[in-house]
Structure formats: C-alpha cells, structure tokens
Amino acid sequence: MAPSLRACSSAGRSGSSSEKMAIGENIQLLVDRPDGTYCFRLHRDRVYYVSEKLLKVATSVPRDSLVALGTCFGKFTKTQKFRLSVTALDFLAPYAKYKVWVKPGSEQSFLYGNHVLKSGLGRITENTAQYQGVVVYSMADVPLGFGVAAKSTQDCRKVDPMAIVVFHQADVGEYVRSEDTLT
Amino acid sequence: MGRKLDPARKEKRGPGRKARKQRGAEVELARFLPPGEPSPAPRRPGSAVPGSLCVNSLVVHNSLTVILPAEPLDLHIIHQRIKGNMEVLQNFGVKREEGRTRQEYLALLRRDMAAYYSYSDFLLKKLMDIFPLPELINFLEANEVPRPVTIRTNTLKTRRRDLAQALINRGVNLDPLGKWSKTGLVIYDSSVPIGATPEYLAGHYMLQGASSLLPVMALAPQENERILDMCCAPGGKTSYIAQLMKNTGMILANDSNAERLRSVVGNLHRLGVTNAVVSNCDGRQFPKVLGGFDRVLLDAPCSGTGVISKDPAVKTSKDEKDILRCAHLQKELILSAIDSVNAASETGGYIVYCTCSITVEENEWVVDYALKKRNVRLVATGLNFGKEGFTRFKDRRFHPSLKSTRRFYPHTHNMDGFFIAKFKKFSNAIPKAQKGSTSSAELSLWVPPVAPFSLLSDEEPAVEAASPLPVPDTIVEPQSKKKKLEGSKVAKGQKKPQSALKKRRSLQAQHRPVKAGRPSPRMLCARVPTRKKSRMNQNEQ
C-alpha cells in the first residue's frame, strides 16, 4: 500500500514546472526556509506545499477524509500533466522574476478570466521573453493571477492595442467562479 | 372659491363629505367586526370604560376563529390587537377584562403573533419562554430586518485602515464595527458587489457576521498552539483563528459535510492560511482521529433559531423533535470536543462551545450536561458584553456558573442570535457516571424515535431500547452509557466478573451506541445498513 502522502521528487513529475511558473530557481527558497522544513506532498493528485510539522499532524487523519493540507499548488490532470492553480499565487508572487501590471480598467476583465490586451497593460518587466510565465499584478501591486507572456517585452511596444500580450492561466476570480473545482 | 383656498377656514370646517364617507365606512366595518377601534388612545388613560380594546380584542378573536378559514386575516387589525393585549398584560390587574384569565390573553397573543410574524406555534411558545413580552416583540421585529453586512480584515495580508481606504475608493460606505473588534468593518452601502471586489478576491477580507467573530475572540488562540475547529464550514472562524495565531502552530479544520468543505478550502487559500489541515470526519469520532489539542472550537450544528433573519424557513420548519435531535448531537459533540483537549496544555486547555441558536435546550442544557459529564468548569468568555446565560429556566436548574456564558440577541446587539460558553478542562480523567439515573434520563430523550426500529429488528436491541426507562438495569446500563460516551477507552478487564450472558449483552450495547448516535438529521438513511449489519452479527452468534 502506498504511503498516504507521497513526496514529489524534484526530478519527477513536477520537476520542470518550476521553470514555467515564473519563479525559476527561486523555488529553492520555498523548500529551504529559515522557519522550519517545508516540503511538497502529493495527495489525491494534488500537490500541497506544507510544513513538516503540519504534515505529521495530517498523517493521523485518515486518507479518505483528508481534504487539504497547507497550500495547494496545483494538480495533476488525468493525463498526468501538472497544472498550477491560483492557490499557489501567494507563494509565486513574492518570488516572481517576471511581472506584468494591468491598468485598473482592465483589472476586472482579467479577473473574469480574459487575456490581458495591450490596451490594459500598465507595465511589464524588462527582458521578458515570449512564452515566459509571468505573475499579473494590479497597479496597486496586488497579485491577481498568473499567465504566459504572449509577446516579448520588445514586441509589446510594437503591437496594436487590441493584441493579446499575456495569456490567462489563473486568476483570483476563480475563488468565486470555480470554488467547487479548486479542491 | 376663496373658501377653498384659505387654509384657516378649511380647518374650521365641520365634518364634510369626506369625513361622512369615512364614518360610513367605519360603521360598515364595525358591522363585520365588533368595533376594533384603531385609535383607542383617548379612552385608555381613564380606563373608566373597562378595557375597551382588550374586551373587543378577545371578542374579535372569538368571532374571528369562526370566520378565519373563509377570509384572509387583516394583518393591521391583528397588529393592533397584539399591541393592545400587550399593554393589558403588562398591567393586568387594572386593564384586564373581567372574567378573562391571563392564560386566555396569552393564548390569544401567541396566536396573533404567530399569524402576524408567521411563526409556528411551537417556536413561538419556546420564544415566549425565553423572552419577557416586550422583549419578545423586539426580537420578532428584529428578525424581520436583515443584520448589517460586516466584513473582517484579514490581517495576514493587509491592515484595516488600508482596506477601508481601498474600499472607500471603490465607492463603499463603511465604518469600524465597534470598540470590541479591531478587525471588523460594517458596510452600510456599496456601489460594487462586496463579495467580488478585487480586494475580496485577493483575500484582504472575509464576509462574516459580527456574531461569528465572538467565539474566536472567546477562544483567544495563542501562537504555536494546536487548535481544532470541529465544525468549520464555511471557514470564517477558522481563518480568524489562523489570523490571530499569525499562521503559526496548526489548525485542524473539520466538518462532516464534504460539500461545505469546498468553500472552506477556497476561503482558507484565498485568505492565505497556511497552517490548516482540512478534514472531513464526523466530529463525534474525534478523540480517536486526533486528540491532545490546546484549544477546541465547537460551533455546533443547531436549529438556527438565532439567525431567523437570514433563513426565515426556521420560523415554521422546526419542531420539538428537531431541537431535541440537535441537542442530542450537540451533547455528543461537546463530549468529544472536551475529550480532544489536553488539560495539561501549558497555554490552553480551553473549549469554546457556541451555537447560532437561542433555545435553552441547545445551549445551557448542553453546557450543563458537559459540566456533569467531564472535568471541566466554565470560565469567563472575555467578552464584556452580551447577556448572561440562564441558570434557571422554567423548572430546570442549571449550574450557577452558567452565569459566565454569554447570549447575544438580534434586538439588543444587532447581530445574529448567538450563545457562547468557554470551558477550562482541569483533568484528563473522565469521571465515572455516578448518577446513572440523571444521565440516562438525559440521553434517553433521544431514544423514542429509535425505539420503533429496534423493536422491529430483534429481541436484543429491544432490551436496549427498554433500558432507558426507569427500570434499574444497574449492571449493564451505566456501562453501556459510558461506552456511548467515550468509545473505546474503558478497560476491557472490567467486564470479566460478569456472566457470559451479561458479557454478550454489554458487547451488544457496545455496538448499539454507534447506532443510536447515528440518527442525526441527515443520517437517517444511513442507519438502515448498520442495522442490517448488526442483525447479521447476531445471526453469526
């Protein structure tokens, strides 16, 4: 019988996702923390980021009745692809290397699940490459979600206002829109 | 023409056509209803005319009972009659009609109020027992208006001042909740939906009733503690606990309803709570799943008589059985909550019990039961407002320390009706049930609904069902009760001296309580398979 909480080996299924998720090698900082040992655990195809202290407690809860622990980072799909979920935003945002700020007017649009258009783009980190994972902020520096840069910073300057600059991946609006599928 | 325009002359005019018409209408009305005077004020002070309104009202009532089914009640008349009778009842010696008893007045008043506010007769009777009459009216009126929308700042992510500023910029009109809360804000009106602003989505605040802040404040969680929230959905209190602990220590957030746990997980993630484990167990299993907590918050499932303004269905849908069923579940839950706490904890050892119900059966009674059953005492909740709990209620006498529990009402505190009790556990030992009679009487409340089933099934459960009756079945009885309460903790050796038959019986009884515990409101259907199983066991034997 498999242990109830399996460790995600870093070379395993979730390995390459750290590159995609906009924080790159900063993922090291998530595991080596001064305030205790933190780790990633797989439970029911979801990856949870949890302190070891909490993990010990969670082991006493029957696996069937354990719903969540710590912070959910994402899930493996039925085809074994890893999807980051918006619940990981709290940990991605502080370590994000590439950021995009959206104007107040198009904040709402992004929170409804739409891509960010050039017209709504407030700022963007220099040297963002095309298809780089980025964290999306409001102009007041509140993290709103994350996505993938559709254009590099250079190209963003040239495109017309209605062109998409960031593909939407996840936004905090999902807490309301799809609360049922978060877990 | 000039006469019409001059206001002075207009006033001097005698009863004109309109006034005559009006009087005609009144006369006509009076023919159907014996004169229910709409403005009885001038006659009242003298009270020379004996109880003008109340006489009428009682008569009206008598005649109305006949008419009732045919034509719809005039709510205005009923309202007048309620007011009149209230006044009479407050000065009964002087204002009553000769030959009418207080009971008659009260019965009429109750029926009127039930009709006017559309409550079931049962619930209104319960409320009348709790509140004195003028307060009752206030309570019923307060249930008709919604409570103010309140939010709690998530101090894990922002400060109240920043949040208030951000919301004001979005066109929200707000104020601090009160002196007792450092994180609450009350929303007067808003041009944007308050549950979907970017600040809400970013987890800067939680929509939460003012009353649900109180149990957490009473719990007063400290940093680095282990805390159990037994019935956590939808996660408002849980996240408040995490916020007070600054995301240290650990919280086990449990709820028995998997559907409602989705919102818990969503809320905890949105608010950035990282020290919580969410589980989906039955609260009654609790010391078995995990114990040794520093503090436990038990926000017990209840009949919801304190939140009628939120859910008006409570007015008519609850009856005696529902309330006793809740009370039984609450008694089971409170015992497992107490058992899950470690009395030797350096910082804690506290249990907070709260319900959003105001009936005595679900509150004082449950607390009193816990005091008898476990080594706990009541301590001050640390809330400097709210009303004291009852120490005596009708023919019941509770432990005097119930004064330190707190009750909150919609009409006095403008928050949902709430009850909060805080226990301190002083010993991990479980006292032996010395008074078998009282305990069985209290638990047996629950037996009648079960009895028919068990009588149907086999003779063995029938013995069980009969046991709560006053017939003293001394040897088996207390043990089975104790089993019911503490699950597996009783030493097996105790049973040795008994005969084989008795042993078998008590073993049966050991299975039985689980069954008896089952028929909680939503588990009625789940009971059938269990019964089958036990019957199978019997066949094996």
Side-chain angles (χ1 to χ4, degrees), chain A residues 54 57-58 60-62 65-72 87 90-91 107-108 111 142 172-173 175-176 179-180 182-183, chain B residues 157 170 195 198 200-202 204 226 250 261-263 265-266 269-270 272 274-281 289-290:
Chain A
L54 206 58
V57 175
S60 16
V61 180
S65 39
L66 184 63
V67 177
L69 64 156
T71 309
C72 178
T87 47
D90 278 345
F91 292 93
E107 235 175 54
Q108 201 74 1
L111 291 180
V142 176
V172 288
Y175 284 120
V176 172
E179 191 176 60
D180 287 351
L182 276 177
T183 50
Chain B
K157 290 201 171 182
R170 292 198 187 274
Y200 176 83
L201 296 172
H204 289 185
R226 279 156 58 96
M250 71 134 303
L261 277 177
R262 290 164 195 260
S263 65
V265 177
H269 278 97
R270 184 172 59 80
T274 56
N275 62 344
V277 176
V278 184
S279 72
N280 177 24
C281 303
V289 177
L290 194 55

Side-chain angles (χ1 to χ4, degrees), chain B residues 501-520:
Chain B
L501 176 69
K502 268 176 191 164
K503 200 195 275 177
R504 208 183 122 211
R505 248 196 217 175
S506 65
L507 277 174
Q508 271 295 320
Q510 201 174 336
H511 285 290
R512 177 75 191 145
V514 185
K515 231 195 308 177
R518 273 282 158 72
S520 71

Side-chain angles (χ1 to χ4, degrees), chain A residues 60-139:
Chain A
S60 16
V61 180
R63 196 179 353 162
D64 287 340
S65 39
L66 184 63
V67 177
L69 64 156
T71 309
C72 178
F73 257 51
K75 64 175 250 187
F76 283 99
T77 60
K78 296 273 193 290
T79 49
Q80 300 299 310
K81 289 184 191 114
F82 182 70
R83 292 273 156 79
L84 269 177
S85 72
V86 69
T87 47
L89 185 64
D90 278 345
F91 292 93
L92 298 189
Y95 302 113
K97 298 169 89 179
Y98 299 96
K99 303 177 182 181
V100 166
W101 287 262
V102 295
K103 290 177 185 165
S106 61
E107 235 175 54
Q108 201 74 1
S109 162
F110 180 71
L111 291 180
Y112 278 74
N114 300 316
H115 304 305
V116 180
L117 303 181
K118 168 75 192 302
S119 59
L121 185 68
R123 287 198 290 165
I124 184 167
T125 315
E126 282 296 316
N127 302 325
T128 308
Q130 199 178 15
Y131 306 134
Q132 168 67 52
V134 292
V135 174
V136 179
Y137 287 80
S138 74
M139 290 310 272

Side-chain angles (χ1 to χ4, degrees), chain A residues 57, chain B residues 226-228 250-252 286 290-296 340-343 345 349:
Chain A
V57 175
Chain B
R226 279 156 58 96
I227 297 200
L228 169 65
M250 71 134 303
I251 303 171
L252 183 52
F286 240 86
L290 194 55
F293 289 93
D294 294 315
R295 287 161 205 261
V296 174
S340 316
V341 170
N342 178 18
S345 156

